[in-house]
Amino acid sequence: DENYLRQMAAYFSQLEYPYPPPARVDRNAASMKQGADLARRGDPSRKIPACISCHGERLTGAAPAVPGLLGLPHYYLAAQLNTWRQGLRHARAPDCMAEIAQRLAPEDVDALSAWLASQPVPVNARAPLLRLEPPLKCGSLEPRR
C-alpha cells in the first residue's frame, strides 16, 4: 500500500554507500589549478560564477534541484557542459547553466571537468537544502506554476 511504499522510500533514502575513489585524470598542474579556480572562485571578469555558489561549498548539490558535481566521470561532465555551450541542452528558462556554459572556453570546460572528476566525494554527500540566492536567475530553481 501507499504507506508501505513511503516507508521503503524513507529507508532507502537514508542509506549511504561509499563512492569509489576518483579516477585519475591526466592533466598538467596549470590545467588542474584553472579547474579548481573556476569551481571555487569563478571568473568575475567573464561573469562566470563559481560552481560552489550554486552547487554548494562541497559541490554535492543543493536540494531539491541542484545536482552534485562530484563522483562523475570527466567525459560526462565535459559532455554536459559542452551540450549547454552549443545550445543542445536546455533547462527551464531562464536557463542559467546554458548562460554560464556559453561563457566558458573549450579549455575551461576541460580543466573544470577534469578537476571535478579528480575530487573525492565527501563522506555524507547528501545534498543540503538550497539556502543561498543563486548568482543568476535560474528557471529550474523557481516553483512551477
Side-chain angles (χ1 to χ4, degrees):
D1 69 1
E2 187 74 23
N3 186 46
Y4 187 61
L5 290 173
R6 288 184 197 280
Q7 289 174 3
M8 287 191 317
Y11 169 79
F12 285 108
S13 73
Q14 297 304 312
L15 295 178
E16 297 258 352
Y17 291 102
Y19 280 83
R24 183 170 164 4
V25 180
D26 188 27
R27 294 294 182 280
N28 64 38
S31 180
M32 294 302 268
K33 182 184 180 317
Q34 177 186 4
D37 287 347
L38 286 168
R40 293 180 181 144
R41 290 184 277 290
D43 185 344
S45 70
R46 294 186 289 160
K47 297 182 180 172
I48 298 171
C51 299
I52 63 171
S53 62
C54 294
H55 295 270
E57 190 70 34
R58 296 172 4 126
L59 297 166
T60 57
V66 180
L69 299 177
L70 303 183
L72 301 168
H74 171 256
Y75 66 85
Y76 175 81
L77 292 163
Q80 298 309 307
L81 286 170
N82 279 318
T83 56
W84 263 307
R85 278 186 75 244
Q86 297 163 359
L88 301 172
R89 180 171 182 179
H90 305 280
R92 197 157 56 114
D95 190 347
C96 55
M97 270 310 305
E99 192 175 329
I100 293 165
Q102 289 166 5
R103 296 173 186 166
L104 296 170
E107 52 276 5
D108 294 325
V109 170
D110 183 65
L112 181 57
S113 56
W115 184 82
L116 288 168
S118 71
Q119 301 308 297
V121 178
V123 175
N124 188 14
R126 189 176 311 274
L129 289 175
L130 181 65
R131 301 218 186 273
L132 303 172
E133 183 65 32
L136 299 172
K137 287 286 185 193
C138 200
S140 59
L141 298 178
E142 295 174 9
R144 291 198 181 268
R145 296 180 192 154

